[in-house]
Amino acid sequence: MIARALRSNQQHHFEADYPFPIAYAYRLMENSSNPQTKFFRLFDVFEITLKYLAIIVICDYLSSEQKAENIEYILRKHRPSIGHWHRIYWEILALYHDRSKEMFIPELYSFYHNSDHTSTKNKKIFDEIIAVRNKFKGHGTTLSQKDYSYWVDELMPKIDKLLTELVFLSEYRLILVRNLKYKGERFQHEINLCMGSHSEFALDSIACNVPLEYGRFVLINKQQNATLSLYPYIVYTEAGDDINEGIFFLEANIDNKKLEYLCYQNGQRLRSEKYLYDYLKLLGHETPVLDIRKEMEVLESFPHSRRKLDKGHQERFFMSFLLWSSLSVLLVISLAQPFQKEI
């Protein structure tokens, strides 16, 4: 009972406070009753978490003046495997073994390395889950429901342990920049706060001394004095004729002609030239063009107290307003009638 209650609290924390891509995937997994569906959604949680970590350190690396041949080689892989994402993550971390405080998220180093720079158990867990994933996912292997249940029970505690160790991610806010206005020495931004598992993102405002790029995903550090853009590795698309609204993760560079993205929310793939130019310039280390990492000063911030109303919410609000107005009128009339008779 106690263990179940602890896990329930843990689960709520993952779904309420973690960056949206991770939190949403975790909620989908938890809500799956079919063992096979839960099994594959568990791997979605793992892949998204690994890619999210790798993308953060990649963008941090590309914003710096560092250059390492082994890292440049993997970055230019046209279709990196999940093993490549893992490798790029820990090879970039190795660059910071004596200066982890320079990282945008310094905790990422200690998540993977002990104080003597040896690997923590988290690296072993990553290796174990990747081995199981590569054995079953994408190879047409079908298991019995009993075997799916076995692997879910085997892997779930490991996923939970990794996410528990990554608790610091909840302190680095992921935002989507929606609007920008310049107001007398300050840049006023309207943003979506992309934290927690609900896709109806909180609508917030933040004013700072530097402009943030419209329509891009940006991380804000704990001190609120620096940002890191995750573009073009993670992009947001509006709903269109042949695509649904969603958050897309980079999957492949197709012969330097198009980029391919995957949306874990709905399984859609996007192939587009739209982000290719910026992507290639980024790999060429022409960072001034993109200005990935910025020092900033937050002048005014409004915590997530407002939510963007969808059409349904607006209609319900309008109907409630009409009902309340009608009741108010009836109340006034009923109170006025005895008064009129007395006169």
Side-chain angles (χ1 to χ4, degrees):
M1 289 290 288
I2 295 175
R4 187 180 300 174
L6 286 173
R7 187 170 187 281
S8 178
N9 289 335
Q10 193 179 52
Q11 173 192 342
H12 175 76
H13 182 41
F14 297 155
E15 294 181 17
D17 303 321
Y18 277 49
F20 173 77
I22 297 172
Y24 184 82
Y26 193 91
R27 181 161 67 91
L28 282 184
M29 178 195 69
E30 277 296 319
N31 291 343
S32 302
S33 55
N34 179 280
Q36 182 180 11
T37 303
K38 200 177 192 78
F39 175 77
F40 286 107
R41 285 183 172 169
L42 183 147
F43 285 127
D44 283 348
V45 175
F46 175 73
E47 285 182 28
I48 290 169
T49 302
L50 174 55
K51 287 183 180 180
Y52 189 76
L53 300 181
I55 287 168
I56 290 170
V57 297
I58 287 171
C59 292
D60 206 3
Y61 165 80
L62 290 171
S63 72
S64 70
E65 296 180 357
Q66 301 181 89
K67 215 167 184 181
E69 267 188 45
N70 57 328
I71 293 169
E72 299 293 319
Y73 172 76
I74 306 172
L75 283 176
R76 285 174 169 76
K77 283 278 183 184
H78 279 211
R79 189 176 287 276
S81 66
I82 199 69
H84 288 127
W85 285 104
H86 187 216
R87 182 180 164 191
I88 194 77
Y89 174 62
W90 57 261
E91 290 209 7
I92 290 177
L93 288 182
L95 296 176
Y96 293 93
H97 72 280
D98 58 348
R99 49 195 179 86
S100 60
K101 289 182 180 179
E102 294 178 17
M103 297 177 67
F104 187 81
I105 302 184
E107 295 93 335
L108 285 175
Y109 187 86
S110 54
F111 169 72
Y112 234 52
H113 294 91
N114 296 307
S115 55
D116 60 356
H117 305 302
T118 57
S119 298
T120 64
K121 291 181 180 178
N122 295 325
K123 183 179 184 301
K124 183 181 178 182
I125 293 174
F126 268 104
D127 288 331
E128 290 172 351
I129 297 177
I130 288 173
V132 176
R133 176 207 174 273
N134 290 345
K135 182 178 180 180
F136 295 119
K137 190 173 180 182
H139 298 288
T141 307
T142 303
L143 305 177
S144 67
Q145 294 298 309
K146 183 179 178 181
D147 285 339
Y148 283 126
S149 294
Y150 165 80
W151 281 111
V152 168
D153 292 341
E154 183 76 14
L155 296 174
M156 183 74 79
K158 296 179 180 182
I159 294 289
D160 285 349
K161 182 184 184 305
L162 289 176
L163 292 181
T164 301
E165 295 282 327
L166 288 166
V167 62
F168 54 83
L169 290 180
S170 62
E171 299 181 275
Y172 292 83
R173 295 188 299 168
L174 178 66
I175 66 169
L176 177 62
V177 183
R178 304 296 281 177
N179 201 357
L180 170 62
K181 293 179 181 178
Y182 183 69
K183 292 186 176 180
E185 298 185 356
R186 65 168 57 187
F187 295 91
Q188 186 78 31
H189 303 84
E190 191 174 82
I191 63 169
N192 284 140
L193 182 61
C194 306
M195 304 295 286
S197 64
H198 294 287
S199 55
E200 188 189 330
F201 299 132
L203 184 63
D204 290 351
S205 293
I206 186 170
C208 50
N209 62 333
V210 295
L212 305 177
E213 295 84 356
Y214 171 79
R216 295 184 184 178
F217 284 106
V218 174
L219 278 179
I220 299 180
N221 69 349
K222 290 189 290 188
Q223 296 78 19
Q224 294 196 84
N225 61 9
T227 64
L228 183 72
S229 172
L230 304 184
Y231 172 85
Y233 283 89
I234 302 178
V235 299
Y236 169 79
T237 65
E238 301 277 1
D241 294 335
D242 56 351
I243 201 78
N244 291 328
E245 179 186 28
I247 298 174
F248 287 76
F249 282 71
L250 181 67
E251 279 280 291
N253 170 10
I254 304 170
D255 302 323
N256 286 342
K257 293 178 180 177
K258 288 184 178 180
L259 296 181
E260 181 177 305
Y261 290 84
L262 172 63
C263 178
Y264 285 90
Q265 292 165 259
N266 53 40
Q268 284 195 306
R269 290 185 181 270
L270 168 69
R271 287 190 175 189
S272 174
E273 302 172 355
K274 182 177 179 180
Y275 314 106
L276 182 64
Y277 177 77
D278 286 339
Y279 172 77
L280 293 176
K281 288 187 81 67
L282 187 58
L283 291 187
H285 288 262
E286 296 182 51
T287 50
V289 175
L290 290 173
D291 207 6
I292 309 169
R293 184 167 169 175
K294 293 182 178 180
E295 303 302 315
M296 72 166 188
E297 178 187 357
V298 173
L299 306 173
E300 190 176 8
S301 180
F302 304 100
H304 45 290
S305 56
R306 295 180 293 152
R307 292 186 83 69
K308 188 177 180 181
L309 295 176
D310 62 18
K311 189 175 179 182
H313 281 114
Q314 291 171 345
E315 288 173 352
R316 287 192 290 274
F317 175 82
F318 181 68
M319 293 302 294
S320 300
F321 175 78
L322 285 179
L323 180 60
W324 174 251
S325 300
S326 301
L327 289 174
S328 300
V329 171
L330 290 173
L331 182 61
V332 169
I333 292 172
S334 64
L335 290 174
Q337 284 176 345
F339 180 73
Q340 287 172 347
K341 286 179 182 178
E342 289 178 12
I343 294 174

